[in-house]
Amino acid sequence: MIPTTLSIATRTLRPSILRPSLGSLRHMADISVEHGRGTWKTYGDITSYQPGKFQIKTYNKISPIGLSEFPSSQYEIKEGEAATNAHAVLLRSHKLKEEEVNLTVRAIARCGAGTNNVPVERMTELGIPVFNTPGANANAVKELVLAGMLLGSRRIVDGVNHMKKLGEEGLQKERVEKDKAMFGGRELKNKTLAVIGLGHIGAATARDAEHLGCKIIGYDPSLSIENALKLPRSIELADSIVNAVKNADYISINIPYIKGEGGTHGIIGKDVIGSFKEDAVLLNFARGELVDSEAMKQFLDSGDGRYISDFPDDLLWNHPNTVLLPHLGASTAEAEDAAASMAASTIRSFLETGTIRNSVNFPSTSLPNCPDHSIRFTVVTRNVPGMLAHISEVFGHAQLNILQQINQSKGNVAYNVVDVDTSGHGVVDFKDVQEKITMLDGVLSSRVIYGVPGTGYAKNLEGDYFV
Amino acid sequence: MATMLARTVVRVSQTNKGRFASVAARAFTSTAAVSGNVPVDFEHFSSGWDVDSSAVGDIGKYHIETFNKISPQGLARFPSEKYEIKEDWEQNNAHAILLRSHKLQESEVDVSIRAIARCGAGTNNVPVARMTELGIPVFNTPGANANAVKELVICGLFLGSRRLIQGINHMKSLGEQGLAKERVEKDKAMFGGREIVGKTLAIIGMGHIGAATAREASALGMNCVGYDPALSIESALKLPRDIQIMDSISSAVSNADYISLNIPYIKGEGGTHGIIGKDVISHMKNDAVVLNFARGELVDSEAMKDFLDNGSGRYISDFPDELLWNHENVVLLPHLGASTEEAEETAAAMAADTIQAYLEHGTIKNSVNFPAAALPDREKGSIRLTVVNKNIPGMLATISEVFATHGINIQQQINVSRGDVAYNVIDVDPNIVEGGSVDLKDLQKELTMHDGVLSSRILFGRPGVGYARNINGQYFV
């Protein structure tokens, strides 16, 4: 192990981030990474800085089990504004503001599926990947959907409230047998359930409803092989939502909410609802806006159908054939643990190896393990022509051989992971290389994934170099 | 070949003639159900069948009297050419009663009633002990409700895992204030909880309902443990293969996150009243969810209240509870366990089938007071008789002697007993050695009037005839 020497920029700036950290260095050539220049506009209090650890900034109460995924030798976790040097942000439903995203933040992870509380587009512009936790909540939501099917089969909520009222009047035992007739209904067994959307939650719901004796019909225009393998073998696939629902006694919506043209706002509208059986039970544990409330109200008024949801509804909240729960789909200790663990693991992969998975704005990227005698660079660029060429050129001019690399793009952003050969070289001046790369037109940020946690991140903010 | 015989009904005036209705003032004829060439003579006469014969419905059908609204699909199991179903029959014209939860009075059970069937599991609304004294079998429908109750227990698992009812009521109250959208994300934290997958469910009692619940819960990812001291092979075969059987209620509940009670309520000494009491409850985890969809009296409410006050446990039930109805960790539903169309249909159909098997073949199954009895199908040409008697020594000998005296050969017979009552099904060969006619009228009277006999029936061709009773030494037919 060869310790690095650091040259600290003698500027008005506070000292930079690198410290020698022997334990985590790989066998390599002398490497000098000098960081300096540019003004840290939002640099925190240096005395709070602890060298050698990644700092995770959390908002909301994150499950301790999830947080324990971060080994304490390499990570420290601070809440909210106490994290003055945050390298990554972990949050639940806190509404994240741009100013809360320190310049030092490399990544944002949401413990949950939706990311409406994160200004994703702005993060993409800044070259910061946003991650979510698809599937972590699946079992929690599924159990609530099953409960919803049962709540929609007998008038259980009305019955429980009626029993309370009778209790107040001291009439429970006297009236229970007589009054129960008002709350009876039907069974799930041998009924048909249509599942619209066959991702993690839809597939899990289909499997369990089949165990309860339901016949399953599914619809999903973008059903993947991976998801198909999770479906019950007996499922029948329909070719449209209308065809899926027309013979269904129960209907579960499990699709994402996508705003705008061609999106899914009000997708369960007059047409679809017009195809329902008149005593169908609609279960919406996906998003309130998927259902056209006016059309649903008409349906409920003119038949014996039911609407069960865990989203509020201004028009239907008081309808006798509606049961609205609070948004409890993911509100279980297990889901919170699973989401936090998944988010932690995603962050670790990104920070420690540059791997991207479960990102809502960045492309999935995974380069095999860094070979010996190499250093890993990651570069975030705008998705414009020529970037890959320019980056490669910089390495070329520095006589650095690229051992392996991957380049992916998504939307307006592109991401590169490059493993560069360090063997056979003397003192290698990565500082310079990083600066050159980062200041290329179109590059947003770069990282040298190198031994010491928390070091090696450089950003190109409108022509200014930050490191 | 049927021999159609006309018989006149002989009226025998008795002092209590007001009690009975006349079945017919005209003749009975035997139907083609008897094959063979031997003329069969059974003359029926009665002690005071009073009602005007024109009021009698179709001769030749069984008359089913119903109380409560019975599922039409269930009633459709009675073929209409042999059965007539009404809610109100003239007195002493109904042959069997079908009911749900109507509280049956003895006065509603006419002398002509051969059987009572309850569409449901419990029979507390029927005076069973008295019916046994009168020699009338009471039937129920075990298992008909199993799926309905099971689905409610599964719902109970979820109702006990997150505070769904409280959350729903909270949303209503927010709705009234126009604050639903504003507060839903913030307030939801009050109602979260846990999942059932990977948790342990203890099932106390593994009959139809307990076994179905175990299978379902296992399919949903739960670990199941069970306790049932009287587990039969038949029931065991319905359990999920990986269930763990425990040797006491306390050991079953001790590691359980959820506990479901599925045992019957038996009053009295050695019964199950308050069986879930202080001792058992003290073995429960302090956040256990107790599901009682069996009977309210199984649980000691005081002990349950202590448990709920001192931990984060839950009690979910579909029986009222005067002490716990208002507890914040309790969810009480109305008694909806069997309140589904499907269960009502299944129960009615099962009850109808049971009645038919009894009336047409003398078979007894699903009876709560009579012993199970099934004699194989009678041989062509034979006549089947059934005899109900008190369970005292010597009855079988007495009955057999009556047949022997008349020279009638018994082809097959079965004798079973249960509690205070015994039941016989006897198939006889109507061909007697001398070739004369078989005078079943006399035989039946002789049989029935023996001390200890309660009633007898000749299952002979025509529905609705052939029933004779010995009520305190008086002969009714």
Side-chain angles (χ1 to χ4, degrees), chain A residues 297-417:
Chain A
K297 182 176 190 302
Q298 275 184 20
F299 169 69
L300 296 173
D301 283 341
S302 41
D304 194 32
R306 300 269 195 286
Y307 180 54
I308 321 284
S309 180
D310 70 335
F311 292 93
D313 189 302
D314 288 330
L315 187 62
L316 297 169
W317 67 275
N318 208 14
H319 198 289
N321 290 342
T322 295
V323 178
L324 293 189
L325 290 78
H327 185 203
L328 295 177
S331 294
T332 64
E334 297 84 348
E336 286 166 21
D337 291 345
S341 298
M342 197 186 283
S345 155
T346 304
I347 292 271
R348 284 194 66 191
S349 277
F350 180 67
L351 292 179
E352 297 175 27
T353 65
T355 300
I356 293 187
R357 59 164 197 272
N358 294 337
S359 173
V360 298
N361 59 343
F362 269 55
S364 287
T365 310
S366 169
L367 193 62
N369 278 341
C370 206
D372 283 343
H373 311 290
S374 68
I375 274 189
R376 177 164 288 190
F377 267 83
T378 72
V379 188
V380 180
T381 73
R382 286 196 208 105
N383 191 14
V384 296
M387 297 308 310
L388 188 52
H390 294 142
I391 292 169
S392 311
E393 256 181 64
V394 174
F395 286 113
H397 281 140
Q399 304 295 316
L400 289 168
N401 191 31
I402 295 176
L403 292 173
Q404 57 180 5
Q405 73 97 24
I406 188 169
N407 168 279
Q408 307 266 43
S409 65
K410 176 172 173 176
N412 291 334
V413 78
Y415 182 65
N416 307 268
V417 184

Side-chain angles (χ1 to χ4, degrees), chain A residues 261-283:
Chain A
E261 186 100 19
T264 55
H265 187 95
I267 193 174
I268 307 300
K270 216 155 158 228
D271 266 351
V272 170
I273 293 177
S275 307
F276 285 2
K277 288 170 82 161
E278 68 155 25
D279 62 353
V281 175
L282 178 64
L283 306 147

Side-chain angles (χ1 to χ4, degrees), chain A residues 87 98 115 156-157 189 210 216 292 379 393 396 409 413 444:
Chain A
H87 302 133
E98 194 181 330
T115 44
I156 291 171
V157 180
K189 191 170 167 183
E210 197 211 30
I216 315 288
D292 175 349
V379 188
E393 256 181 64
S409 65
V413 78
L444 294 167

Side-chain angles (χ1 to χ4, degrees), chain B residues 200-320:
Chain B
T200 298
L201 169 67
I203 293 138
I204 311 301
M206 293 188 288
H208 288 103
I209 300 171
T213 301
R215 278 198 308 276
E216 212 62 81
S218 178
L220 293 177
M222 300 186 84
N223 301 319
C224 293
V225 306
Y227 171 75
D228 190 329
L231 183 59
S232 66
I233 302 281
E234 189 198 336
S235 288
L237 288 170
K238 296 188 196 149
L239 296 172
R241 286 288 149 266
D242 52 0
I243 193 168
Q244 213 190 340
I245 308 283
M246 309 299 274
D247 59 8
S248 69
I249 297 185
S250 294
S251 59
V253 305
S254 61
N255 287 319
D257 305 292
Y258 299 83
I259 298 154
S260 175
L261 307 176
N262 297 107
I263 53 181
Y265 177 52
I266 299 162
K267 281 189 204 180
E269 184 101 19
T272 55
H273 187 95
I275 194 173
I276 307 302
K278 217 161 153 219
D279 197 25
V280 168
I281 292 177
S282 71
H283 285 93
M284 292 182 182
K285 292 171 81 163
N286 75 357
D287 62 352
V289 175
V290 177
L291 306 155
N292 181 6
F293 290 82
R295 274 292 289 275
E297 296 90 331
L298 295 168
V299 168
D300 175 344
S301 305
E302 293 274 2
M304 178 56 61
K305 183 176 189 302
D306 274 348
F307 170 69
L308 296 172
D309 284 341
N310 293 317
S312 60
R314 301 278 153 78
Y315 180 57
I316 321 285
S317 180
D318 70 336
F319 292 93

